[in-house]
Amino acid sequence: MQRLFIHSNAAGSKRRLLLGASFLLLAGAAIGLPVANAADATKDALIHKVEVDSMRNTVFTPDSPLLDSMLAPAKAANPNVSADNWAAVRADTASAITSTLFGPDSAVSTVMEQSLSQLSTQELQHLDVLLTDPVLIKFQHTMASPETQRALMQGMAASTLKMQGAMNDVLLRHGLKVPSP
């Protein structure tokens, strides 16, 4: 009988131990949940900050030469519009295009967020430091200037023929026909 009592106490001890361990696990999970949510919220905020910092200078400005070429057909269709009205149209169009391309629900923003979510919090912090470096910001402003945009557009136009020629050369080297223009 004493043996049964010891076995019974051992079984009860195991149950209490299991119950206690289960309780501790549940309590730990409940305590850790807000910490995990706080960490997720912190990382989400950091991702948003890095997005903003990385696209800070990714805007169409009213003096953008690219905007000039985009609005040229509208300007030709509306020859009697005043310079002041065109200035307002340019500013509104620049803002609308920027929002469409880089705004919160844009494809660029979605892809950026997906890419940034792959980084750790430490990597995001490091990236944010790099993106807010004054030299990088100055470089980005220089690259966004109308003069640089004009040069880039001219270079791209000149490169189009060169790129077509390079592609044609590759096709010929592989014994393929070059499509007619």
Side-chain angles (χ1 to χ4, degrees):
M1 173 120 177
Q2 191 174 5
R3 188 175 230 192
L4 184 60
F5 183 70
I6 292 172
H7 185 270
S8 175
N9 274 348
S13 291
K14 286 181 183 176
R15 269 191 231 122
R16 279 193 298 276
L17 184 61
L18 275 172
L19 194 59
S22 296
F23 176 76
L24 286 175
L25 285 173
L26 286 172
I31 292 170
L33 189 60
V35 173
N37 286 340
D40 288 346
T42 300
K43 186 174 180 180
D44 289 345
L46 190 53
I47 286 171
H48 179 71
K49 184 175 183 333
V50 170
E51 276 186 82
V52 168
D53 289 343
S54 67
M55 294 195 295
R56 175 182 295 125
N57 295 310
T58 310
V59 296
F60 275 90
T61 59
D63 59 350
S64 167
L66 185 55
L67 190 61
D68 281 339
S69 65
M70 292 171 74
L71 283 173
K75 199 166 185 178
N78 298 283
N80 298 326
V81 175
S82 72
D84 287 343
N85 198 9
W86 273 117
V89 167
R90 291 175 65 75
D92 287 350
T93 303
S95 177
I97 290 172
T98 298
S99 182
T100 300
L101 290 175
F102 309 110
D105 294 327
S106 69
V108 171
S109 178
T110 300
V111 169
M112 177 86 71
E113 187 174 331
Q114 289 170 352
S115 297
L116 291 173
S117 69
Q118 303 301 309
L119 301 177
S120 70
T121 300
Q122 288 176 329
E123 291 167 328
L124 287 166
Q125 290 168 337
H126 182 83
L127 181 57
D128 192 52
V129 167
L130 296 173
L131 290 171
T132 56
D133 182 276
V135 175
L136 177 63
I137 292 170
K138 183 177 181 179
F139 170 70
Q140 289 173 328
H141 281 289
T142 302
M143 289 300 293
S145 75
E147 297 80 26
T148 303
Q149 286 184 27
R150 269 193 276 296
L152 182 61
M153 288 171 58
Q154 289 171 347
M156 292 296 288
S159 294
T160 301
L161 292 175
K162 291 178 183 177
M163 289 187 299
Q164 184 66 50
M167 183 179 73
N168 290 348
D169 289 345
V170 170
L171 292 172
L172 291 172
R173 274 198 313 269
H174 286 269
L176 301 172
K177 294 179 185 176
V178 174
S180 58

